[in-house]
Amino acid sequence: MTRLTMAKALNAGLRRALEADPKVVLAGEDIGKLGGVFRVTEGLQKDFGEDRVIDSPLAESGIIGTAVGMALRGYRPVCEIQFDGFVYPAFDQIVSQVAKLRYRTRGAATVPMVIRIPFGGGIGGVEHHSESPEAYFAHTAGLKVVSCGNPVDAYWMIQQAIASDDPVVFLEPKRRYHEKADIDESATPLPLYAASVLRAGRDVTVLAYGPMVKTCLDAAAAAADEGRDLEVIDLRSLSPFDMAVVAQSAQKTGRVVVVHEAPMNLGLGAELAARISEQCFYSLEAPVLRVGGFDTPYPPSKAEDGYLPDLDRVLDMVDRSLAY
């Protein structure tokens, strides 16, 4: 067992992937000598060389476009987008090329690449540094979208994403980079697209992913002091959803609250609410409720605490669900 932060767990997972396959290459702004803004790639260029850990120009579209060509030639590029709000210059490449090439060629060409995006708020970042762009990519057919919520998942999921023949958008909750957990490198990990029941409960199902997982676990602990038993599920995969796990929990508790940082309008919570209502209608005791960011651009850092969902907002929505 090794105790690692999420950032170090990602580093260890990337290192293991680089060791296992010489076709794995990393590319991104300042990921080499600097080790990335969050030091996730620290030491990797020194150990694997500048040809495999590449300091790219300041050009997200160029990073992704070059990686597409590399993937078509048999490499497995892992691209880092330095901050979530910087992904938009590469959006055309991702949705027009990365997502479509396998379908366009009827499977003759694969694009085995990973696009790492530190996402979400909570770090006091300035504009363009605290976005939650997951719905754009989850809506795009041809992309897989996953998010780790703890160091253990970070370590295993990054390796699984790199091994996938489909392009994977890999969302990393930047405000959780420094949280620690024990990593057992001999363990058998969950499949990449499986949800995980982190806390079993009988009263309300709470669905979350990425940075909101810890918030919801804290809310469940607080609710337990009041005699309320919340079941907390880390979705882990946003496209595809593991609906079997979600539906089983919803049918058991009869009440569901979905929590994410992104604005609620047309967010992942809306899709989950629709699917749960369709599949579990006769088991529900209340409508599926959502907690999310407000439908505004992300606020200045001094106001972000009022924007981000917190323990109290989660518990308020649980109360609303139980009141039906």
Side-chain angles (χ1 to χ4, degrees):
M1 294 286 245
T2 307
R3 192 162 184 82
L4 297 175
T5 64
M6 180 181 287
K8 291 296 185 183
L10 287 163
N11 180 283
L14 290 167
R15 177 178 294 277
R16 190 163 172 176
L18 286 161
E19 290 170 346
D21 186 349
K23 292 293 188 180
V24 174
V25 295
L26 314 186
E29 298 158 11
D30 295 323
I31 70 165
K33 289 183 174 62
L34 180 64
V37 171
F38 299 102
R39 304 299 187 265
V40 169
T41 53
E42 190 170 36
L44 296 180
Q45 188 181 76
K46 174 178 175 293
D47 294 339
F48 294 94
E50 296 183 6
D51 291 339
R52 296 191 66 197
V53 182
I54 303 164
D55 276 318
S56 71
L58 186 70
E60 286 77 15
S61 181
I63 295 169
I64 300 301
T66 302
V68 170
M70 295 180 74
L72 291 173
R73 296 291 293 177
Y75 289 89
R76 291 183 176 271
V78 182
C79 304
E80 178 181 299
I81 302 297
Q82 199 171 70
F83 280 91
D84 35 44
F86 300 167
V87 73
Y88 302 117
F91 192 75
D92 180 25
Q93 293 280 10
I94 296 170
V95 303
S96 299
Q97 306 301 329
V98 175
K100 293 181 171 59
L101 275 166
R102 188 168 191 174
Y103 185 84
R104 184 185 301 152
T105 63
R106 297 184 180 181
T110 58
V111 190
M113 60 185 289
V114 176
I115 303 168
R116 293 182 44 239
I117 307 176
F119 84 122
I123 64 164
V126 296
E127 189 177 19
H128 308 309
H129 290 67
S130 300
E131 304 285 317
S132 295
E134 59 267 26
Y136 294 120
F137 301 114
H139 175 76
T140 303
L143 297 177
K144 308 294 188 186
V145 184
V146 301
S147 180
C148 52
N150 58 67
V152 175
D153 278 346
Y155 175 75
W156 291 112
M157 290 173 71
I158 190 65
Q159 296 177 66
Q160 293 169 319
I162 293 169
S164 171
D165 286 334
D166 288 310
V168 179
V169 175
F170 194 94
L171 299 165
E172 302 167 6
K174 65 173 83 78
R175 69 160 134 162
R176 307 300 183 197
Y177 272 145
H178 298 297
E179 294 178 3
K180 295 182 178 181
D182 292 327
I183 312 294
D184 181 359
E185 296 185 11
S186 65
T188 300
L190 282 173
L192 181 59
Y193 306 118
S196 176
V197 180
L198 299 182
R199 179 181 177 128
R202 64 179 182 275
D203 295 333
V204 181
T205 297
V206 180
L207 305 177
Y209 56 88
M212 285 290 100
V213 172
K214 183 178 185 302
T215 301
C216 292
L217 286 171
D218 291 343
D225 293 337
E226 300 175 353
R228 292 176 173 176
D229 193 15
L230 306 188
E231 179 149 300
V232 179
I233 295 178
D234 181 356
L235 293 169
R236 301 174 77 252
S237 176
L238 310 184
S239 181
F241 287 132
D242 185 353
M243 281 306 298
V245 169
V246 171
Q248 183 178 32
S249 180
Q251 288 163 354
K252 178 178 70 173
T253 66
R255 304 174 192 275
V256 181
V257 173
V258 188
V259 184
H260 55 63
E261 279 192 21
M264 291 214 304
N265 185 46
L266 299 176
L268 270 292
E271 177 64 24
L272 278 163
R275 292 199 196 185
I276 293 166
S277 296
E278 289 171 358
Q279 296 184 28
C280 309
F281 181 78
Y282 291 106
S283 299
L284 294 176
E285 301 291 338
V288 179
L289 301 177
R290 295 171 291 157
V291 182
F294 299 107
D295 293 323
T296 68
Y298 197 87
S301 58
K302 289 183 179 179
E304 70 177 351
D305 286 347
Y307 174 90
L308 294 169
D310 59 11
L311 181 148
D312 288 335
R313 286 178 60 192
V314 174
L315 291 178
D316 284 346
M317 200 59 71
V318 167
D319 288 343
R320 281 188 54 190
S321 181
L322 289 166
Y324 277 92

